């Protein structure tokens, strides 16, 4: 569905009713990342999964996409949908960076947080250099977003998933190919400049579920252990047999963790 949010035509999917559960995808993905959650959690929440600007069917806008800007888009989406009730906000990886920014700006709108396959800290100098190289690759007409997609694919999934689940690998590849060049560059520039969310951890006083794949090749599960130590009212679930996309690789286990969390709210 398409809705006007400030300057942006934003696409989103929604299922169910009750407490809103806003699910934010990572880089360079789109809302279909949350397909295994949209229907499965609809009996317990109003599940809303947007495409961030430049992703999926939302409008491609020139970047950079700061995490604050993406959080403002999420806030505008809630306004456009007429949602006044506090929401559970869940973000995967870059979606987690957006979730931290959203909490800093709009804490009154937050009933609980889900942080999946993400981290609080900033990029290392090496990671920043790699982001700049990736921006150059996207701009290079002989490479473009598909070159990044090819490089990222094996790093998004647990080695075992990548080796044994070709259908899932194809599905993730399709998602990666759907991002616009503007979206990719906007994200990379925004992530490069993102602020450190480590000081935010001690400020979070909402129930928080932290989920991480045990075999995440991109972000170490230790990052989630550190967030768990820093957020007072948090619960940590490490999912076996999952890499960077635990909600796709282990949907039943992921959904069970979210269900338990929502029930306890
Ligand atoms: C993501 O999955 O959102 C990104 O890979 C996160 C990152 O590059 O820091």
């Amino acid at each position: 569905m398409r809705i006007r949010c400030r300057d942006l035509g934003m696409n989103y999917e929604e299922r169910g009713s009750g407490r809103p559960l806003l699910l934010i995808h990572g880089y360079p993905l789109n809302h279909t990342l949350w397909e295994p959650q949209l229907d499965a959690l609809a009996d317990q929440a109003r599940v809303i999964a947007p495409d961030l600007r430049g992703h999926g069917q939302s409008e491609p806008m020139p970047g950079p996409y700061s995490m604050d800007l993406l959080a403002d888009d999420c806030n505008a989406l809630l306004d456009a949908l007429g949602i006044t009730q506090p929401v559970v906000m869940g973000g995967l990886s870059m979606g987690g960076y957006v979730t931290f920014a959203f909490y800093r700006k709009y804490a009154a709108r937050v009933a609980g947080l889900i942080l999946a396959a993400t981290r609080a800290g900033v990029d290392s100098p090496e990671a920043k250099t790699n982001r700049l190289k990736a921006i150059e690759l996207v701009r290079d007409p002989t490479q473009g977003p598909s070159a990044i997609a090819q490089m990222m694919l094996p790093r998004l999934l647990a080695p075992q998933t990548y080796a044994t689940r070709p259908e899932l690998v194809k599905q993730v590849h399709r998602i990666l190919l759907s991002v616009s060049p503007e979206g990719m560059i906007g994200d990379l520039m925004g992530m490069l400049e993102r602020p450190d969310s480590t000081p935010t951890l001690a400020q979070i006083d909402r129930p928080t579920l932290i989920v991480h794949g045990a075999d995440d090749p991109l972000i170490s599960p230790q990052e989630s252990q550190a967030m768990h130590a820093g957020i007072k009212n948090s619960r940590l679930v490490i999912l076996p047999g999952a890499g960077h996309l635990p909600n796709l690789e282990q949907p039943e286990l992921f959904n069970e963790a979210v269900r338990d969390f929502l029930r306890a709210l």
Side-chain angles (χ1 to χ4, degrees):
M1 281 170 280
R2 181 65 91 94
I3 195 164
R4 197 88 216 146
C5 301
R6 300 180 303 154
D7 60 334
L8 179 72
M10 204 164 181
N11 181 60
Y12 71 101
E13 274 302 321
E14 118 164 63
R15 306 268 200 291
S17 57
R19 186 191 289 286
L21 169 62
L22 184 63
L23 295 175
I24 309 302
H25 63 78
Y27 158 85
L29 306 166
N30 64 44
H31 81 272
T32 62
L33 169 74
W34 300 111
E35 250 164 25
Q37 282 67 53
L38 272 161
D39 283 330
L41 299 174
D43 59 346
Q44 232 176 319
R46 177 177 175 188
V47 191
I48 303 161
D51 287 333
L52 294 173
R53 57 175 63 210
H55 300 74
Q57 293 163 59
S58 287
E59 269 180 283
M61 315 281 272
Y65 301 168
S66 71
M67 299 304 112
D68 275 0
L69 174 68
L70 297 176
D72 290 343
D73 288 343
C74 295
N75 184 57
L77 175 65
L78 294 179
D79 284 345
L81 293 172
I83 292 174
T84 52
Q85 179 186 1
V87 306
V88 175
M89 173 124 176
L92 182 135
S93 200
M94 184 185 77
Y97 312 157
V98 177
T99 300
F100 283 126
F102 188 87
Y103 186 78
R104 284 191 288 271
K105 294 193 84 168
Y106 306 109
R109 292 197 102 150
V110 177
L113 297 172
I114 301 173
L115 298 168
T118 193
R119 64 181 148 209
V122 292
D123 284 354
S124 65
E126 188 195 351
K128 284 186 193 223
T129 307
N130 287 338
R131 299 231 196 259
L132 292 171
K133 283 188 194 151
I135 291 171
E136 287 317 307
L137 269 186
V138 181
R139 289 191 173 132
D140 178 345
T142 66
Q143 302 288 326
S146 60
I148 303 274
Q150 202 59 50
M151 275 172 8
M152 281 196 78
L153 192 54
R155 304 200 60 215
L156 288 177
L157 299 164
Q160 197 192 346
T161 311
Y162 191 70
T164 61
R165 295 171 66 186
E167 284 311 314
L168 186 58
V169 175
K170 266 192 221 145
Q171 182 187 345
V172 174
H173 198 188
R174 271 196 303 273
I175 299 179
L176 292 173
L177 291 174
S178 77
V179 67
S180 66
E182 289 93 336
M184 216 170 225
I185 293 173
D187 286 353
L188 287 162
M189 290 166 88
M191 287 193 287
L192 182 63
E193 292 162 4
R194 75 183 187 278
D196 188 4
S197 293
T198 310
T200 308
L201 301 180
Q203 292 159 15
I204 294 176
D205 63 0
R206 304 294 195 281
T208 301
L209 171 66
I210 302 170
V211 188
H212 216 108
D215 305 318
D216 187 334
L218 208 64
I219 298 183
S220 160
Q222 285 174 358
E223 300 282 355
S224 276
Q225 273 151 6
M227 292 192 297
H228 178 45
I231 302 176
K232 283 184 289 289
N233 191 2
S234 63
R235 182 185 294 193
L236 173 64
V237 178
I238 304 280
L239 296 185
H244 192 57
L245 306 178
N247 66 306
L248 275 185
E249 297 177 72
Q250 291 291 359
E252 288 82 14
L253 296 179
F254 186 93
N255 291 347
E256 194 183 304
V258 174
R259 281 172 180 287
D260 285 351
F261 176 70
L262 292 176
R263 262 196 297 267
L265 271 183

